[in-house]
Amino acid sequence: MHSGPVQVLAGALRPGKPIRQPTLLVAGATGTLGNEVMRRLVGHQRFGATYVLAREPIQAGLRGVALHRVESDSPRQWPLLPADTGVILFEPPRLFHDRERALWTPQPGQLVELALWMRRSGVTTLAVVLPHAQGRLPEALKRGLAGLDEHAVSTLGFERLLFVRSAQRPGAAKERGFLPSTARWMLSIFRYMIPSSEQPVRSVKVAEFVASALRHATPGIHVAEPAVVWRAAQGDVDAVVREWLAR
């Protein structure tokens, strides 16, 4: 018996099974970069739920975002939190931002333990985002980032693993010494006259890179060197990200 047009139309209008959107888990949603990454990822509405790790109970500032309070600084002691995509950032909370001080921010030495906890929670796609303006970070944090154990994380079994390093224009290293430092300081006074392509990458551009990388991520381990992030910020971010992921 063939179905008539009425039956076909009724079948098309019948609600099907809802498509489950992935769950996002963020550790370190602090600082200018962490705030921009959160806004970008939540604004795209690709995730059905977003959890941010916090050390104190506060009200989330973004719609669709829930805070997950952790009771200690040791991820191995935390109960698992089911999620599909994870983002780890290390930028410290901004001064005078009480809400950010209530969030939990990992230290570089906790990367492997935190990544393992996320993997055990079901995370298959992980992005590790380094602060893009490391010159303003505390010395202890800079030393920790320099010794980041990326190799250990790569052995944990993530389907897609992204490392986004500090954005930096490719070129010769800066000269050290009093005279070069003085010259750079004097030139910085006229920064407003410098073309945007010559200026440091803004946090919003790094956040756009991270969001695009998560959207287009292919299976495997992908490391975005500083020059790649800088180049993406100068033009079509999606095009640079797709080219980088295709390598």
Side-chain angles (χ1 to χ4, degrees):
M1 178 178 176
H2 296 287
S3 300
V6 176
Q7 288 81 3
V8 173
L9 180 59
L13 296 177
R14 187 179 301 118
K17 293 183 178 180
I19 300 176
R20 190 186 77 86
Q21 290 182 295
T23 298
L24 174 65
L25 177 57
V26 181
T30 51
T32 304
L33 180 58
N35 185 63
E36 290 293 346
V37 169
M38 275 293 301
R39 289 185 179 277
R40 177 74 58 171
L41 294 179
V42 174
H44 282 176
Q45 299 181 344
R46 291 184 54 246
F47 300 98
T50 298
Y51 293 100
V52 178
L53 300 184
R55 61 175 71 254
E56 299 175 12
I58 59 172
Q59 185 174 359
L62 292 174
R63 184 179 180 182
V65 177
L67 297 180
H68 179 75
R69 187 179 180 185
V70 295
E71 300 294 338
S72 71
D73 278 332
S74 178
R76 72 181 64 184
Q77 299 177 357
W78 300 344
L80 300 181
L81 178 63
D84 305 285
T85 300
V87 177
I88 299 176
L89 304 105
F90 297 100
E91 194 159 321
R94 290 171 289 184
L95 194 62
F96 306 122
H97 284 68
D98 292 336
R99 178 182 171 277
E100 289 191 5
R101 289 201 295 271
L103 300 178
W104 187 82
T105 303
Q107 295 300 312
Q110 296 172 307
L111 173 61
V112 178
E113 187 179 351
L114 177 59
L116 177 60
W117 174 76
M118 286 190 173
R119 184 67 192 93
R120 292 177 58 205
S121 293
V123 170
T124 56
T125 299
L126 176 65
V128 180
V129 186
L130 275 65
H132 81 294
Q134 294 196 21
R136 296 195 296 266
L137 298 178
E139 286 299 323
L141 181 55
K142 285 192 285 187
R143 288 195 297 270
L145 291 171
L148 211 61
D149 197 346
E150 298 177 353
H151 174 71
V153 177
S154 68
T155 65
L156 297 180
F158 291 99
E159 293 181 12
R160 288 166 290 274
L161 180 59
L162 310 172
F163 288 101
V164 180
R165 293 178 176 161
S166 306
Q168 177 182 326
R169 184 188 180 196
K174 294 181 180 179
E175 296 183 44
R176 297 181 179 273
F178 174 75
L179 291 179
S181 299
T182 303
R184 287 195 297 270
W185 174 78
M186 294 180 67
L187 290 173
S188 69
I189 299 175
F190 303 98
R191 181 174 297 177
Y192 67 93
M193 300 175 61
I194 301 176
S196 59
S197 61
E198 300 289 330
Q199 296 182 10
V201 176
R202 294 179 299 155
S203 296
V204 64
K205 284 296 185 179
V206 180
E208 187 177 350
F209 183 94
V210 173
S212 179
L214 286 174
R215 188 166 60 251
H216 299 295
T218 54
I221 301 172
H222 307 278
V223 180
E225 297 294 345
V228 174
V229 183
W230 183 89
R231 186 160 59 90
Q234 310 310 310
D236 189 336
V237 174
D238 280 342
V240 175
V241 166
R242 285 194 293 266
E243 177 187 346
W244 161 59
L245 292 173
R247 293 177 183 174

